[in-house]
Amino acid sequence: MAYKTKSKERDDTMAAVSKPVNGAFILNSKKAEEFFAQKVNTSSDAIRRYEKRKTKTGDVASKSDK
Amino acid sequence: MKDLYGENIEYKYDLIKPEDINLIQAFSCGNENLDRYIQKELIINNDVDTTDGLPYKVVDLNTNEIIGIFSLAASGIIHRQGNYVHVLPAIKIDIFAINTKYQKIHMDAISEASSDPDDHFYFSDAILCEAIKICVKLSEEKIAVKYILLYADKKAKRFYQRNLFHDFADFMEKEQNMEINKNEPMYLPLD
């Protein structure tokens, strides 16, 4: 078996600090409306920032085995 | 790594496999706890630990060194409405670690020459972008996911802000916030 799940606490990872909710974030109900109404940058903006850099400097080589 | 720019580094990423153990043991991101976990616990007895996420490695194709390690797992934002509980599906980045040798490498000369920190673009930004792209691809082709979540080490918060992650602490239930001492909850909506 190549991959295994084990229960062990460790520091400095998301799981270590969010055990009570198993890694999830709990949204404060009183602030939900404000949260959903926000206009914030998204993954498209984050990727666009990278792509913009690539077009300035030429292609950045990366490959995935997937 | 002097005079090296990120744009010149060829790399690939793939899931960590048991046979990567020697590469893993040579990896250091400078965080003692994380290094100990990665070097000694991520692969044990020919098994890869996937307890808190599926771990990926990013490998330099020229040196065969591991540039970075990140892990992804299913998660969510829990939204209570009266008696109902909705879970907004998310992917968490549990680990994001960059080899010390590859930290603070500017992507190119333009970034290095810029006096405006907001115009800086580091090689580590490109690696985080690869993780974001995996999440986007999953959300577009495999499973409905709306957010990327992570807990940022306070020292790394600026890094994630530069890559357009947003603070979640103000929206978080206070009780949960008390569990967080040295880390900052952050999120990025997927679209």
Side-chain angles (χ1 to χ4, degrees):
Chain A
M1 183 177 165
Y3 293 93
K4 186 179 183 182
T5 296
K6 61 180 182 179
S7 57
K8 185 169 184 8
E9 291 196 20
R10 52 191 167 83
D11 298 326
D12 296 315
T13 65
M14 184 171 175
V17 296
S18 59
K19 286 285 183 214
V21 287
N22 200 25
F25 287 2
I26 300 180
L27 182 60
N28 184 336
S29 303
K30 292 174 186 163
K31 301 214 171 166
E33 197 174 329
E34 183 189 345
F35 177 75
F36 291 120
Q38 286 188 116
K39 300 286 180 205
V40 294
N41 286 315
T42 65
S43 56
S44 296
D45 299 307
I47 291 170
R48 200 172 298 124
R49 177 175 174 265
Y50 175 62
E51 299 295 334
K52 202 168 131 191
R53 175 65 64 177
K54 274 169 64 174
T55 53
K56 271 187 191 172
T57 61
D59 197 16
V60 178
S62 70
K63 296 174 185 174
S64 165
D65 285 350
K66 302 318 301 164
Chain B
M1 290 290 174
K2 200 182 172 195
D3 299 329
L4 178 68
Y5 293 120
E7 64 181 347
N8 304 123
I9 301 171
E10 289 188 308
Y11 62 91
K12 69 171 184 177
Y13 66 82
D14 191 13
L15 290 171
I16 288 177
K17 298 182 178 70
E19 53 267 34
D20 294 322
I21 189 154
N22 290 333
L23 286 175
I24 293 291
Q25 287 174 343
F27 179 87
S28 173
C29 67
N31 178 313
E32 197 177 319
N33 291 327
L34 204 46
D35 280 348
R36 187 174 54 246
Y37 169 72
I38 289 169
Q39 292 166 6
K40 299 184 186 302
E41 298 178 40
L42 188 54
I43 301 173
I44 295 179
N45 297 330
N46 216 34
D47 285 323
V48 177
D49 178 23
T50 59
T51 307
D52 298 318
L54 201 56
Y56 290 78
K57 63 182 184 289
V58 183
V59 178
D60 186 325
L61 292 177
N62 291 316
T63 66
N64 204 36
E65 279 182 296
I66 292 187
I67 294 167
I69 290 172
F70 61 86
S71 68
L72 304 176
S75 187
I77 296 176
I78 296 172
H79 178 207
R80 295 193 185 106
Q81 287 181 296
N83 292 329
Y84 297 97
V85 176
H86 298 280
V87 178
L88 307 170
I91 295 173
K92 67 171 178 174
I93 298 177
D94 190 57
I95 292 173
F96 188 86
I98 298 292
N99 187 331
T100 50
K101 292 180 188 173
Y102 293 85
Q103 293 176 8
K104 312 251 181 200
I105 295 178
H106 283 275
M107 204 62 194
D108 49 47
I110 298 169
S111 171
E112 189 174 37
S114 176
S115 56
D116 181 358
D118 287 336
D119 203 32
H120 286 168
F121 196 98
Y122 292 92
F123 182 53
S124 52
D125 295 5
I127 302 302
L128 180 59
C129 192
E130 296 289 1
I132 293 171
K133 284 185 191 174
I134 293 173
C135 298
V136 169
K137 194 172 169 60
L138 283 170
S139 72
E140 288 176 346
E141 298 177 6
K142 303 288 184 189
I143 190 166
V145 186
K146 299 299 179 191
Y147 298 92
I148 301 175
L149 309 180
L150 57 84
Y151 276 101
D153 185 287
K154 285 193 189 326
K155 285 185 279 187
K157 188 176 176 183
R158 175 74 191 110
F159 165 70
Y160 291 109
Q161 285 176 326
R162 194 172 62 239
N163 286 285
L164 307 183
F165 279 77
H166 313 286
D167 288 337
F168 191 81
D170 287 345
F171 300 106
M172 201 168 227
E173 282 202 359
K174 282 204 170 74
E175 301 90 293
Q176 190 190 10
N177 221 357
M178 289 171 68
E179 299 292 332
I180 304 155
N181 297 316
K182 54 184 176 178
N183 295 284
E184 299 274 349
M186 302 186 83
Y187 74 101
L188 180 69
L190 287 161
D191 62 350

